Amino acid sequence: MSSKPTAASITVKWEEENLSSHAVKAADSLGRTVAEESCSLRTCFQRDRDRIVHSKSFRRLKHKTQVFIAPEGDHYRTRLTHTLEVSGISRTAARSLRLNEDLAEAISLGHDLGHTPFGHIGEEALSVSLQKRTGRRFEHNRQSLRVVQKLEGEGRGLNLCREVEDGILNHTGPDLPSTLEGRIVRIADRVAYINHDIDDALRSGIIISEDLPRQEIALLGETSSQRIDALVHDLVDSSWEQGEVVQSSKMKEAMDSLRSFLFERVYIGSVYRRETRRVSRLVESLFEYYLAHPDLLPAWNDDAGNDLPAQVTDYIAGMTDRFAIRTFKDLFLPSEWDL
C-alpha cells in the first residue's frame, strides 16, 4: 500500500508537473547548512518564508525608513511596506513565468532584513563610521545575509536554504543571483522603490507631478500603479521571449531615467542633505559610544571571531529609526525634570 500523500508531497508533485524546467523545484534545493528533517506540510522554501516572517528583524522593518525618516504621515512607505510590495511583484512575475513563487517570496521578504535605520542615509553613515576604524564598508545586502546566517535566533541564524541566501545576498551589487527567482526579486526591488518613492516624494511636496520626466511618464504611465503594471508586463513578456529574466531595453532605460531623476531631485536634494548631516552625527555618536562601552552591547551581539567595530555595526544596523533616536536622546541630551 502506498503511503498517504502529505501537503508537502502534493506541492512537490505539483511543482514537478507544472513549473518551468528553469524553475528551482523544492525537491532539487541545494539544502541548508545544517541538515533538518523535512516538514509534512510545507516545502523547504515555504518554511524559509515563514521563518523570515516570524523573525524579529522582519518585525523591526515596520519602524525603519524607506526614504522619509520617521514620517508623521500614515501613508508613507516604510521598509516593511516596501518589502511587501517587492514580494507582491516578485510573486506575480514568478507565477506568470512558471517559476517557483515560494522561493521568490522567501527571497523578497528577506532581502532588506539587514537594512539600517534611516534608509540609505543611515547605510552610508554607518559605512563611514565602520570604514574610518577598519577600512571595511557596510553593505545592507551583506548584512541581510549576516542576519539570516548569524544574528537571528539568538545567534543561531535561521538556517535557510542556500538558494534563499544567495538571492538575499545578490539582490543588489555586482553579482547576479544564481536562480531566476532571485533575478526577479532583483528587478522587482527597483520597480517597487522607484515608483513608490516618486509617490511619497509627490505626497511630501518635495516634487510636483510637472517635475517628472514627461517622455518616461508617457511611456510608463501617470500613476505608480500604471507604471508598475507596465513594468511587470514588460518583464514577463521579455523574459518569455528570451528564456532569461530581463526587461526590454526601452522600458529599462525609462525606469533607469526615473531612478536618476530621484537621485537628483529627492535622494540628494536639499531636504535629504539636511537629514544626512543629522543622521551622520547620530550614527557616529552611537558608534563611538558603544566602542567605548562594549559592556552595554547585548549578549547576542558577541559573535565569536567578530571584532568590536563589527559588533557595534551589528547593533546599530539592527536599530529602528525610533529606537536609534531615543537611544541618542538618552545618551547625549539632558533629561527634562518632571517636577
Side-chain angles (χ1 to χ4, degrees):
M1 180 186 296
S2 61
S3 59
K4 177 184 175 185
T6 64
S9 69
I10 292 171
T11 302
V12 166
K13 186 171 185 291
W14 183 90
E15 288 184 355
E16 190 60 40
E17 293 174 349
N18 294 281
L19 293 187
S20 158
S21 60
H22 300 296
V24 179
K25 283 91 172 177
D28 298 330
S29 170
L30 298 174
R32 309 176 188 280
T33 300
V34 180
E36 298 178 5
E37 290 290 325
S38 59
C39 174
S40 62
L41 300 180
R42 298 166 295 165
T43 68
C44 57
F45 299 140
Q46 291 171 338
R47 294 177 80 186
D48 284 4
R49 172 201 60 203
D50 292 347
R51 289 179 189 190
I52 291 168
V53 170
H54 287 280
S55 70
K56 292 177 182 174
S57 300
F58 186 80
R59 294 197 291 276
R60 289 200 298 270
L61 296 177
K62 177 182 178 183
H63 294 293
K64 290 194 175 192
T65 287
Q66 174 58 26
V67 170
F68 296 91
I69 295 171
E72 292 294 329
D74 292 335
H75 297 154
Y76 289 99
R77 269 76 170 188
T78 66
R79 192 60 58 181
L80 178 61
T81 58
H82 163 69
T83 295
L84 296 175
E85 291 182 20
V86 175
S87 175
I89 293 169
S90 299
R91 289 177 55 197
T92 296
R95 190 185 317 124
S96 301
L97 292 168
R98 294 174 52 223
L99 297 175
N100 196 314
E101 185 177 340
D102 294 326
L103 173 56
E105 183 179 26
I107 294 170
S108 59
L109 291 175
H111 83 283
D112 267 353
L113 289 180
H115 223 296
T116 61
F118 312 121
H120 290 288
I121 299 179
E123 180 174 11
E124 181 58 26
L126 187 55
S127 188
V128 168
S129 293
L130 179 64
Q131 193 167 25
K132 187 164 75 174
R133 293 162 175 90
T134 67
R136 304 192 298 267
R137 287 193 57 78
F138 176 89
E139 296 170 305
H140 79 268
N141 54 320
R142 295 189 179 282
Q143 188 69 12
S144 293
L145 181 65
R146 181 165 167 72
V147 167
V148 300
Q149 287 186 332
K150 289 281 187 182
L151 301 181
E152 270 294 334
E154 306 300 326
R156 299 185 304 277
L158 298 178
N159 196 33
L160 303 180
C161 294
R162 290 184 173 85
E163 294 86 352
V164 178
E165 292 184 345
D166 168 80
I168 288 173
L169 174 63
N170 294 312
H171 79 269
T172 187
D175 298 322
L176 285 176
S178 61
T179 67
L180 296 187
E181 289 82 355
R183 295 179 193 187
I184 283 177
V185 175
R186 187 177 167 105
I187 295 176
D189 183 31
R190 285 197 172 196
V191 170
Y193 78 69
I194 288 171
N195 288 290
H196 62 49
D197 289 355
I198 288 175
D199 196 34
D200 282 352
L202 289 169
R203 179 172 293 107
S204 71
I206 290 178
I207 59 172
I208 58 175
S209 57
E210 287 74 15
D211 293 332
L212 295 170
R214 295 319 305 169
Q215 188 174 346
E216 290 77 0
I217 294 301
L219 176 65
L220 298 175
E222 289 290 336
T223 68
S224 61
S225 175
Q226 291 170 341
R227 292 190 292 271
I228 290 172
D229 188 64
L231 288 165
V232 173
H233 275 86
D234 174 73
L235 171 65
V236 171
D237 293 343
S238 301
S239 300
W240 266 119
E241 292 172 2
Q242 300 193 33
E244 171 59 281
V245 175
V246 293
Q247 297 173 278
S248 69
S249 57
K250 181 175 66 173
M251 299 295 263
K252 184 176 185 307
E253 286 171 9
M255 190 179 81
D256 289 346
S257 177
L258 288 181
R259 183 170 181 265
S260 299
F261 168 81
L262 282 169
F263 269 95
E264 180 182 338
R265 296 293 302 274
V266 179
Y267 298 154
I268 56 176
S270 58
V271 175
Y272 218 64
R273 285 198 298 274
R274 182 193 67 201
E275 294 303 318
T276 297
R277 289 191 293 272
R278 294 176 177 177
V279 169
S280 297
R281 178 179 166 228
L282 182 152
V283 170
E284 172 61 21
S285 298
L286 293 180
F287 206 104
E288 188 67 33
Y289 182 84
Y290 284 109
L291 280 179
H293 302 85
D295 53 309
L296 296 180
L297 292 170
W300 57 261
N301 215 249
D302 187 16
D303 180 22
N306 211 12
D307 60 31
L308 182 56
Q311 292 178 39
V312 173
T313 299
D314 284 342
Y315 188 43
I316 295 176
M319 292 181 177
T320 60
D321 290 21
R322 63 181 187 176
F323 183 82
I325 292 171
R326 188 167 65 241
T327 303
F328 180 84
K329 286 180 177 177
D330 290 345
L331 293 175
F332 300 109
L333 299 182
S335 301
E336 296 178 352
W337 287 24
D338 186 16
L339 298 176

